[in-house]
Coordinates of all heavy atoms in Angstrom, one line a residue:
M1 N -20.9 74.0 10.1 CA -21.4 73.5 8.9 C -22.8 74.0 8.7 O -23.6 74.0 9.6 CB -21.4 71.9 8.9 CG -21.9 71.3 7.7 SD -21.6 69.5 7.7 CE -23.2 68.9 7.2
I2 N -23.1 74.4 7.5 CA -24.5 74.9 7.1 C -25.2 73.8 6.4 O -24.7 73.2 5.5 CB -24.4 76.2 6.2 CG1 -23.7 77.3 7.0 CG2 -25.8 76.6 5.8 CD1 -23.5 78.5 6.2
S3 N -26.5 73.6 6.9 CA -27.3 72.5 6.3 C -28.7 73.1 6.1 O -29.2 73.9 6.9 CB -27.3 71.3 7.2 OG -28.2 70.4 6.7
S4 N -29.4 72.6 5.1 CA -30.8 73.0 4.8 C -31.7 71.9 5.2 O -32.9 71.9 4.9 CB -31.0 73.4 3.4 OG -30.8 72.3 2.5
L5 N -31.2 70.9 6.0 CA -32.0 69.8 6.5 C -32.1 69.8 8.0 O -31.2 70.2 8.7 CB -31.4 68.4 6.1 CG -31.3 68.1 4.6 CD1 -30.6 66.8 4.4 CD2 -32.7 68.1 4.0
M6 N -33.3 69.4 8.5 CA -33.6 69.2 9.9 C -34.0 67.8 10.2 O -34.5 67.1 9.3 CB -34.7 70.2 10.3 CG -34.4 71.6 10.2 SD -35.8 72.7 10.7 CE -35.9 72.4 12.4
E7 N -33.8 67.3 11.4 CA -34.2 66.0 11.8 C -34.9 66.0 13.1 O -34.5 66.8 14.0 CB -32.9 65.1 11.9 CG -33.2 63.6 12.1 CD -33.4 63.2 13.5 OE1 -32.8 63.9 14.4 OE2 -34.2 62.3 13.8
Y8 N -35.9 65.2 13.2 CA -36.6 65.1 14.5 C -37.3 63.7 14.5 O -38.1 63.4 13.6 CB -37.7 66.2 14.7 CG -38.5 66.0 15.9 CD1 -38.0 66.1 17.2 CD2 -39.9 65.7 15.8 CE1 -38.8 65.9 18.3 CE2 -40.7 65.5 16.9 CZ -40.1 65.6 18.2 OH -40.9 65.4 19.3
N9 N -37.1 62.9 15.5 CA -37.8 61.7 15.7 C -37.7 60.7 14.5 O -38.7 60.1 14.2 CB -39.2 61.9 16.1 CG -39.8 60.8 16.9 OD1 -39.1 59.9 17.3 ND2 -41.1 60.8 17.1
G10 N -36.6 60.8 13.8 CA -36.4 59.9 12.7 C -36.9 60.5 11.4 O -36.8 59.8 10.3
Y11 N -37.5 61.7 11.4 CA -38.0 62.3 10.1 C -37.0 63.4 9.7 O -36.4 64.1 10.6 CB -39.4 62.8 10.4 CG -40.4 61.8 10.5 CD1 -40.7 61.2 11.7 CD2 -41.1 61.3 9.4 CE1 -41.6 60.2 11.8 CE2 -42.1 60.3 9.5 CZ -42.3 59.7 10.7 OH -43.2 58.7 10.8
H12 N -36.9 63.6 8.4 CA -36.0 64.7 7.9 C -36.8 65.7 7.1 O -37.8 65.3 6.4 CB -35.0 64.0 7.0 CG -34.1 63.1 7.8 ND1 -34.4 61.8 8.0 CD2 -32.9 63.3 8.4 CE1 -33.5 61.2 8.8 NE2 -32.5 62.1 9.0
A13 N -36.4 66.9 7.2 CA -37.2 68.0 6.5 C -36.2 68.9 5.8 O -35.1 69.2 6.3 CB -38.0 68.8 7.4
K14 N -36.6 69.4 4.6 CA -35.9 70.4 3.8 C -36.4 71.7 4.3 O -37.6 71.9 4.4 CB -36.1 70.1 2.3 CG -35.5 71.1 1.4 CD -35.8 70.8 0.0 CE -35.3 71.9 -0.9 NZ -35.8 71.8 -2.3
V15 N -35.5 72.7 4.4 CA -35.9 74.0 4.9 C -35.5 75.0 3.8 O -34.4 75.0 3.3 CB -35.2 74.4 6.2 CG1 -35.6 75.8 6.6 CG2 -35.6 73.4 7.3
E16 N -36.4 75.9 3.5 CA -36.1 77.0 2.6 C -36.5 78.3 3.3 O -37.4 78.3 4.2 CB -36.9 76.9 1.3 CG -36.4 75.6 0.5 CD -37.1 75.5 -0.8 OE1 -38.1 76.1 -1.0 OE2 -36.6 74.6 -1.6
F17 N -36.0 79.5 2.8 CA -36.4 80.8 3.3 C -37.2 81.5 2.3 O -36.8 81.6 1.1 CB -35.2 81.6 3.7 CG -35.5 82.9 4.2 CD1 -36.0 83.0 5.5 CD2 -35.3 84.1 3.5 CE1 -36.3 84.3 6.1 CE2 -35.6 85.3 4.1 CZ -36.1 85.4 5.3
D18 N -38.4 81.9 2.7 CA -39.3 82.7 1.8 C -39.0 84.2 2.0 O -39.4 84.7 3.1 CB -40.8 82.4 2.1 CG -41.7 83.1 1.2 OD1 -41.5 84.3 0.8 OD2 -42.8 82.5 0.9
Q19 N -38.3 84.8 1.1 CA -37.9 86.2 1.3 C -39.0 87.2 1.3 O -39.0 88.1 2.1 CB -36.8 86.6 0.3 CG -36.1 87.9 0.6 CD -34.9 88.0 -0.3 OE1 -34.6 87.3 -1.2 NE2 -34.2 89.1 0.0
E20 N -40.0 86.9 0.5 CA -41.2 87.8 0.5 C -42.0 87.8 1.8 O -42.3 88.9 2.3 CB -42.1 87.3 -0.7 CG -43.3 88.2 -0.9 CD -44.2 87.8 -2.1 OE1 -43.6 87.3 -3.1 OE2 -45.4 88.0 -2.0
D21 N -42.2 86.6 2.4 CA -42.9 86.6 3.6 C -42.0 86.6 4.9 O -42.5 86.6 6.0 CB -43.8 85.3 3.7 CG -45.0 85.3 2.7 OD1 -45.4 86.5 2.3 OD2 -45.4 84.3 2.2
Q22 N -40.7 86.5 4.6 CA -39.7 86.5 5.7 C -39.9 85.4 6.7 O -39.9 85.6 8.0 CB -39.7 87.9 6.4 CG -39.3 89.1 5.5 CD -37.8 89.0 5.2 OE1 -37.0 89.1 6.1 NE2 -37.5 88.8 4.0
I23 N -40.2 84.2 6.2 CA -40.3 83.0 7.1 C -39.5 81.8 6.5 O -39.3 81.8 5.3 CB -41.8 82.6 7.3 CG1 -42.5 82.3 5.9 CG2 -42.6 83.6 8.0 CD1 -43.8 81.6 6.0
F24 N -39.2 81.0 7.4 CA -38.6 79.7 7.0 C -39.7 78.7 6.8 O -40.7 78.7 7.6 CB -37.7 79.1 8.1 CG -36.5 80.0 8.4 CD1 -36.5 80.9 9.4 CD2 -35.4 79.9 7.5 CE1 -35.3 81.7 9.7 CE2 -34.2 80.7 7.8 CZ -34.2 81.6 8.9
I25 N -39.6 77.9 5.8 CA -40.6 76.9 5.4 C -40.0 75.5 5.4 O -38.9 75.4 4.8 CB -41.3 77.2 4.1 CG1 -42.0 78.6 4.1 CG2 -42.3 76.1 3.7 CD1 -42.4 79.1 2.8
G26 N -40.6 74.6 6.1 CA -40.1 73.2 6.1 C -41.0 72.2 5.5 O -42.2 72.4 5.6
L27 N -40.4 71.2 4.8 CA -41.2 70.1 4.2 C -40.6 68.8 4.6 O -39.4 68.6 4.3 CB -41.2 70.3 2.6 CG -41.7 69.1 1.8 CD1 -43.2 68.9 2.0 CD2 -41.4 69.3 0.3
V28 N -41.4 68.0 5.2 CA -40.9 66.6 5.6 C -40.7 65.8 4.4 O -41.6 65.7 3.5 CB -41.9 66.0 6.6 CG1 -41.4 64.6 7.0 CG2 -42.0 66.8 7.9
L29 N -39.5 65.1 4.3 CA -39.2 64.3 3.1 C -39.3 62.8 3.4 O -39.3 62.4 4.6 CB -37.7 64.6 2.8 CG -37.3 66.0 2.5 CD1 -35.8 66.1 2.4 CD2 -38.0 66.5 1.3
G30 N -39.4 62.0 2.4 CA -39.4 60.6 2.5 C -40.7 59.9 2.8 O -40.7 58.7 3.1
I31 N -41.8 60.6 2.9 CA -43.1 60.0 3.1 C -44.1 60.6 2.1 O -43.9 61.7 1.5 CB -43.6 60.2 4.5 CG1 -43.8 61.7 4.8 CG2 -42.7 59.6 5.6 CD1 -44.5 62.0 6.2
N32 N -45.1 59.8 1.8 CA -46.2 60.3 0.9 C -47.1 61.3 1.5 O -47.6 62.1 0.8 CB -47.0 59.1 0.4 CG -46.1 58.2 -0.5 OD1 -45.4 58.7 -1.4 ND2 -46.3 56.9 -0.4
D33 N -47.3 61.2 2.8 CA -48.2 62.2 3.5 C -47.5 63.6 3.4 O -46.3 63.7 3.4 CB -48.5 61.8 4.9 CG -49.4 60.6 5.0 OD1 -50.2 60.4 4.2 OD2 -49.2 59.9 6.0
S34 N -48.3 64.6 3.3 CA -47.8 66.0 3.2 C -47.7 66.6 4.6 O -48.7 66.9 5.2 CB -48.7 66.8 2.3 OG -48.2 68.1 2.2
L35 N -46.4 66.8 5.0 CA -46.2 67.5 6.3 C -45.4 68.7 6.1 O -44.2 68.6 5.6 CB -45.5 66.6 7.3 CG -46.2 65.3 7.6 CD1 -45.4 64.4 8.6 CD2 -47.6 65.5 8.2
N36 N -45.9 69.9 6.4 CA -45.2 71.2 6.2 C -45.3 72.0 7.5 O -46.2 71.8 8.3 CB -45.9 72.0 5.1 CG -46.0 71.2 3.8 OD1 -45.0 71.1 3.1 ND2 -47.1 70.7 3.5
F37 N -44.4 72.9 7.7 CA -44.3 73.7 8.9 C -43.6 75.0 8.5 O -42.9 75.1 7.5 CB -43.7 73.0 10.1 CG -42.3 72.4 9.7 CD1 -41.2 73.1 10.1 CD2 -42.2 71.2 9.1 CE1 -39.9 72.6 9.8 CE2 -40.9 70.7 8.8 CZ -39.8 71.4 9.2
H38 N -43.7 76.0 9.4 CA -43.0 77.2 9.2 C -42.7 78.0 10.5 O -43.2 77.6 11.5 CB -43.7 78.1 8.2 CG -45.0 78.6 8.8 ND1 -46.2 77.9 8.8 CD2 -45.3 79.8 9.5 CE1 -47.2 78.6 9.3 NE2 -46.7 79.7 9.8
G39 N -41.8 78.9 10.4 CA -41.5 79.8 11.5 C -40.7 81.0 11.1 O -40.0 81.0 10.1
E40 N -40.7 82.0 11.9 CA -40.0 83.2 11.7 C -38.6 83.2 12.2 O -37.8 84.1 11.8 CB -40.8 84.4 12.2 CG -42.1 84.7 11.5 CD -42.8 85.9 12.1 OE1 -42.3 86.6 13.0 OE2 -43.9 86.2 11.6
S41 N -38.3 82.3 13.1 CA -36.9 82.2 13.6 C -36.6 80.7 13.7 O -37.4 79.8 13.5 CB -36.9 82.7 15.1 OG -37.7 81.9 15.9
V42 N -35.3 80.4 13.9 CA -34.9 79.0 14.0 C -35.6 78.3 15.2 O -36.0 77.2 15.0 CB -33.3 78.9 14.1 CG1 -32.9 77.5 14.4 CG2 -32.7 79.5 12.9
K43 N -35.7 79.0 16.3 CA -36.3 78.4 17.4 C -37.8 78.1 17.1 O -38.3 77.0 17.4 CB -36.3 79.4 18.6 CG -36.8 78.9 19.9 CD -36.6 79.9 21.0 CE -37.2 79.3 22.3 NZ -36.9 80.1 23.5
E44 N -38.5 79.1 16.5 CA -39.9 78.9 16.1 C -40.0 77.8 15.1 O -41.0 76.9 15.2 CB -40.5 80.2 15.6 CG -42.0 80.2 15.4 CD -42.5 81.5 15.0 OE1 -42.4 82.5 15.8 OE2 -43.0 81.6 13.8
L45 N -39.1 77.7 14.1 CA -39.2 76.7 13.1 C -38.9 75.3 13.7 O -39.7 74.3 13.4 CB -38.1 76.9 12.0 CG -38.0 76.0 10.9 CD1 -39.2 76.2 9.9 CD2 -36.7 76.1 10.1
T46 N -38.0 75.2 14.6 CA -37.7 73.9 15.3 C -39.0 73.4 16.1 O -39.4 72.3 16.0 CB -36.5 74.0 16.2 OG1 -35.4 74.4 15.4 CG2 -36.2 72.7 16.9
Q47 N -39.6 74.3 16.8 CA -40.8 74.0 17.6 C -41.9 73.6 16.6 O -42.6 72.6 16.9 CB -41.2 75.1 18.5 CG -42.4 74.7 19.4 CD -42.0 73.6 20.3 OE1 -41.1 73.7 21.1 NE2 -42.8 72.5 20.3
S48 N -42.0 74.3 15.5 CA -43.1 74.0 14.6 C -42.9 72.6 13.9 O -43.9 71.9 13.7 CB -43.1 75.1 13.5 OG -44.1 74.9 12.6
M49 N -41.6 72.2 13.7 CA -41.4 70.9 13.1 C -41.7 69.8 14.2 O -42.4 68.8 13.8 CB -39.9 70.7 12.7 CG -39.6 69.4 12.2 SD -37.9 69.1 11.8 CE -38.0 67.5 11.0
H50 N -41.3 70.0 15.4 CA -41.7 69.1 16.5 C -43.2 68.9 16.6 O -43.7 67.8 16.7 CB -41.1 69.5 17.8 CG -39.6 69.4 17.8 ND1 -38.8 69.6 19.0 CD2 -38.7 69.3 16.8 CE1 -37.5 69.5 18.7 NE2 -37.4 69.3 17.4
D51 N -43.9 70.0 16.6 CA -45.3 70.0 16.7 C -46.0 69.3 15.5 O -46.9 68.5 15.7 CB -45.9 71.4 16.8 CG -45.6 72.1 18.1 OD1 -45.1 71.4 19.1 OD2 -45.7 73.4 18.2
C52 N -45.4 69.5 14.3 CA -45.9 68.9 13.1 C -45.8 67.4 13.2 O -46.8 66.7 12.9 CB -45.2 69.5 11.9 SG -45.6 68.8 10.3
I53 N -44.7 66.9 13.5 CA -44.4 65.5 13.6 C -45.3 64.8 14.7 O -45.9 63.8 14.5 CB -42.9 65.1 13.8 CG1 -42.1 65.7 12.7 CG2 -42.7 63.6 14.0 CD1 -42.3 65.1 11.3
D54 N -45.3 65.5 15.9 CA -46.1 65.0 17.0 C -47.6 64.9 16.7 O -48.3 64.0 17.0 CB -45.8 65.8 18.3 CG -44.4 65.7 18.8 OD1 -43.7 64.7 18.4 OD2 -44.0 66.6 19.6
N55 N -48.1 66.0 16.0 CA -49.5 66.0 15.6 C -49.8 64.9 14.6 O -50.9 64.4 14.5 CB -49.8 67.4 15.0 CG -49.9 68.5 16.1 OD1 -50.0 68.2 17.3 ND2 -49.8 69.7 15.7
Y56 N -48.8 64.7 13.7 CA -49.0 63.6 12.7 C -49.1 62.2 13.4 O -50.0 61.5 13.0 CB -47.7 63.6 11.8 CG -47.7 62.5 10.8 CD1 -48.7 62.4 9.8 CD2 -46.7 61.5 10.8 CE1 -48.7 61.3 8.8 CE2 -46.7 60.5 9.8 CZ -47.7 60.4 8.9 OH -47.6 59.4 7.9
F57 N -48.3 62.0 14.4 CA -48.5 60.7 15.2 C -49.8 60.6 15.8 O -50.5 59.6 15.8 CB -47.4 60.6 16.2 CG -46.0 60.2 15.7 CD1 -44.9 60.9 16.2 CD2 -45.9 59.3 14.7 CE1 -43.6 60.5 15.7 CE2 -44.6 58.9 14.2 CZ -43.5 59.5 14.7
D58 N -50.2 61.7 16.5 CA -51.6 61.8 17.1 C -52.7 61.5 16.1 O -53.6 60.8 16.4 CB -51.8 63.1 17.8 CG -50.9 63.3 19.0 OD1 -50.3 62.3 19.5 OD2 -50.7 64.5 19.5
Y59 N -52.6 62.2 15.0 CA -53.6 62.0 14.0 C -53.7 60.6 13.4 O -54.8 60.0 13.3 CB -53.4 63.0 12.8 CG -54.4 62.8 11.7 CD1 -55.7 63.3 11.8 CD2 -54.0 62.2 10.5 CE1 -56.6 63.1 10.8 CE2 -54.9 62.0 9.5 CZ -56.2 62.5 9.6 OH -57.1 62.3 8.6
C60 N -52.5 60.0 13.1 CA -52.5 58.6 12.7 C -53.1 57.7 13.7 O -53.9 56.8 13.4 CB -51.1 58.2 12.3 SG -50.5 59.0 10.8
K61 N -52.8 57.9 15.0 CA -53.3 57.0 16.0 C -54.9 57.2 16.1 O -55.6 56.2 16.2 CB -52.7 57.4 17.4 CG -53.2 56.6 18.5 CD -52.4 57.0 19.8 CE -52.9 56.1 21.0 NZ -52.2 56.4 22.2
K62 N -55.3 58.4 16.0 CA -56.8 58.7 16.0 C -57.5 58.0 14.9 O -58.6 57.5 15.2 CB -57.0 60.2 16.0 CG -58.4 60.6 16.0 CD -58.6 62.1 16.0 CE -60.0 62.5 16.0 NZ -60.2 64.0 15.9
I63 N -57.0 57.9 13.7 CA -57.7 57.3 12.6 C -57.3 55.9 12.4 O -57.8 55.2 11.5 CB -57.5 58.1 11.3 CG1 -56.1 58.1 10.8 CG2 -58.1 59.5 11.5 CD1 -55.9 58.7 9.4
G64 N -56.4 55.3 13.2 CA -56.0 53.9 13.1 C -55.1 53.6 12.0 O -55.1 52.5 11.4
K65 N -54.3 54.6 11.6 CA -53.3 54.4 10.5 C -51.9 54.4 11.1 O -51.5 55.1 12.0 CB -53.4 55.7 9.6 CG -52.4 55.7 8.5 CD -52.4 57.0 7.7 CE -51.2 56.9 6.8 NZ -51.1 58.1 5.9
E66 N -51.1 53.5 10.5 CA -49.7 53.4 10.9 C -49.0 54.6 10.3 O -49.1 54.8 9.0 CB -49.1 52.1 10.4 CG -47.6 51.9 10.8 CD -47.5 51.5 12.3 OE1 -48.5 51.0 12.9 OE2 -46.5 51.8 12.8
P67 N -48.2 55.4 11.0 CA -47.5 56.6 10.5 C -46.5 56.1 9.4 O -45.8 55.1 9.6 CB -46.8 57.2 11.6 CG -47.5 56.7 12.9 CD -48.0 55.4 12.5
E68 N -46.4 56.8 8.3 CA -45.4 56.5 7.3 C -44.0 56.8 8.0 O -43.9 57.7 8.8 CB -45.6 57.3 6.1 CG -46.8 56.9 5.3 CD -46.9 57.7 4.0 OE1 -45.9 58.0 3.4 OE2 -48.0 57.9 3.5
R69 N -43.0 56.0 7.6 CA -41.7 56.2 8.1 C -40.8 56.8 7.0 O -40.9 56.5 5.9 CB -41.1 54.9 8.6 CG -41.9 54.3 9.8 CD -42.0 55.2 11.0 NE -40.8 55.7 11.5 CZ -40.7 56.6 12.4 NH1 -41.7 57.1 13.1 NH2 -39.5 57.0 12.8
D70 N -39.9 57.6 7.5 CA -38.9 58.2 6.6 C -38.2 57.2 5.9 O -37.9 56.1 6.4 CB -38.0 59.0 7.5 CG -36.9 59.9 6.8 OD1 -36.3 59.3 5.8 OD2 -36.8 61.0 7.2
F71 N -37.8 57.4 4.6 CA -37.1 56.4 3.8 C -35.8 56.0 4.4 O -35.3 54.9 4.2 CB -36.9 56.9 2.4 CG -36.1 58.2 2.2 CD1 -34.7 58.2 2.3 CD2 -36.8 59.4 2.1 CE1 -34.0 59.3 2.1 CE2 -36.1 60.6 2.0 CZ -34.7 60.5 2.0
H72 N -35.2 56.9 5.3 CA -34.0 56.5 6.0 C -34.2 55.4 7.0 O -33.2 54.8 7.4 CB -33.4 57.8 6.7 CG -32.9 58.8 5.8 ND1 -33.7 59.9 5.4 CD2 -31.8 58.9 5.1 CE1 -33.0 60.7 4.6 NE2 -31.8 60.1 4.3
K73 N -35.4 55.2 7.4 CA -35.7 54.2 8.4 C -36.1 52.8 7.8 O -36.4 51.9 8.6 CB -36.8 54.7 9.4 CG -36.4 55.8 10.3 CD -35.6 55.3 11.3 CE -35.3 56.4 12.3 NZ -34.4 55.9 13.4
A74 N -36.2 52.8 6.5 CA -36.7 51.6 5.9 C -35.8 50.4 6.2 O -34.7 50.5 6.5 CB -36.8 51.8 4.4

């Protein structure tokens, strides 16, 4: 099955391919904060998504903010 969605730690992202730059671009859905990531391969894209979400948690903890949760977790 082919899907343009990825999931990590309860967050979901839409993935598109930028033909001009030859990279995959991901956008985390369901939250107001803007979380984006990219990669040249599926492996790189997956790692980039994991890093993006993990960094978001770290940043929220650092500033004392509760991370927004994906609408699927409401």
Side-chain angles (χ1 to χ4, degrees):
M1 180 171 134
I2 298 175
S3 175
S4 62
L5 293 178
M6 295 176 70
E7 187 274 332
Y8 174 69
N9 204 10
Y11 289 85
H12 297 83
K14 176 182 175 185
V15 176
E16 295 181 347
F17 182 71
D18 182 327
Q19 192 166 6
E20 184 177 324
D21 291 334
Q22 294 291 295
I23 59 172
F24 296 100
I25 300 170
L27 170 65
V28 176
L29 304 171
I31 63 173
N32 291 319
D33 290 328
S34 179
L35 300 179
N36 303 286
F37 55 95
H38 66 276
E40 293 182 1
S41 67
V42 173
K43 184 176 181 175
E44 191 176 293
L45 182 72
T46 300
Q47 185 62 56
S48 184
M49 181 186 187
H50 292 192
D51 292 345
C52 178
I53 299 296
D54 293 343
N55 290 339
Y56 176 62
F57 285 138
D58 291 343
Y59 177 73
C60 287
K61 183 178 181 180
K62 180 179 177 180
I63 65 169
K65 173 187 174 179
E66 186 70 28
E68 291 185 31
R69 296 306 304 177
D70 186 315
F71 59 84
H72 291 98
K73 289 288 187 179

